[in-house]
Amino acid sequence: LGLVSCVAGILATTILAFVIRNLGFTFKAGVLSTPVPVGFSLAFSTWTVTALTLSLITFGGNLPKALEAAALLANHEISAEVVDLRCLRPLDMKTVLASIKKTHRGIVIDEAWKTGSLAGEIVAQIAEEAFYDLDGPPVRITTPHIPLPAADIMEDIVLPTSDRIVETVKRSLGS
C-alpha cells in the first residue's frame, strides 16, 4: 500500500499498519498504491457546476463508500470532495480544513460509535478552526451505539453505507 511503501525505509521505528479486511478487494489498482508521506491525506474531487458542495472526510474501509456516495450525489447535482485520511496519527487537519474552506460543509464518516470516536475529534477541530467558513454544522455518520454484530450481513446493516451517506447529505442540505 502507498502508506506502507512510505514508511518501509524507517527501520529504527516500530510501525503498525492495520488493514481493513474488505478494503483490499474494493479498489482498482493504483488508488491505494499512490505513495503519500506519513501525516498527509489525499483529496478526490467530483466537482460539477453546482451551487451545493461539501467535503466527505473518511478513512479506511469507508473510503470506497464515500467515493460511491460522491458519485451518487453528482446525480443529484451535489458535488463532493472526498478526503482520505491515510494516516490518523499525525492527523492531517491541514488538508481537511483546506477542503472545508473550499466547500463550506463537512461530513465525517467513521465506523466507530459517535461518542468517543475520531469523527468527534475531527468535527471539534473543524468547529474550532473553520467555524466562520462553515455554511452549516459539521455532521458525523457513525455506527449506532450497539454491539457490532459478528455476522457480515448484520454488520453491513449497522455500518455506514453509501446510501446512508447520500441520505445524510441530502438531509443536512435540506433537500
Side-chain angles (χ1 to χ4, degrees), residues 92-141:
D92 180 16
M93 284 306 296
K94 185 176 180 179
T95 301
V96 171
L97 295 173
S99 182
I100 294 294
K101 287 178 193 232
K102 279 192 275 185
T103 66
H104 307 288
R105 290 190 185 272
I107 296 187
V108 183
I109 306 148
D110 187 352
E111 289 183 353
W113 294 327
K114 188 177 262 188
T115 304
S117 68
L118 182 63
E121 176 61 26
I122 295 168
V123 164
Q125 288 193 40
I126 290 170
E128 289 173 357
E129 303 294 327
F131 180 79
Y132 295 107
D133 294 313
L134 292 169
D135 288 341
V139 177
R140 292 178 282 176
I141 300 173

Side-chain angles (χ1 to χ4, degrees), residues 111-117 140 142-149 158-159 164:
E111 289 183 353
W113 294 327
K114 188 177 262 188
T115 304
S117 68
R140 292 178 282 176
T142 59
T143 298
H145 285 274
I146 60 171
L148 193 59
V158 298
L159 294 177
R164 196 162 130 216

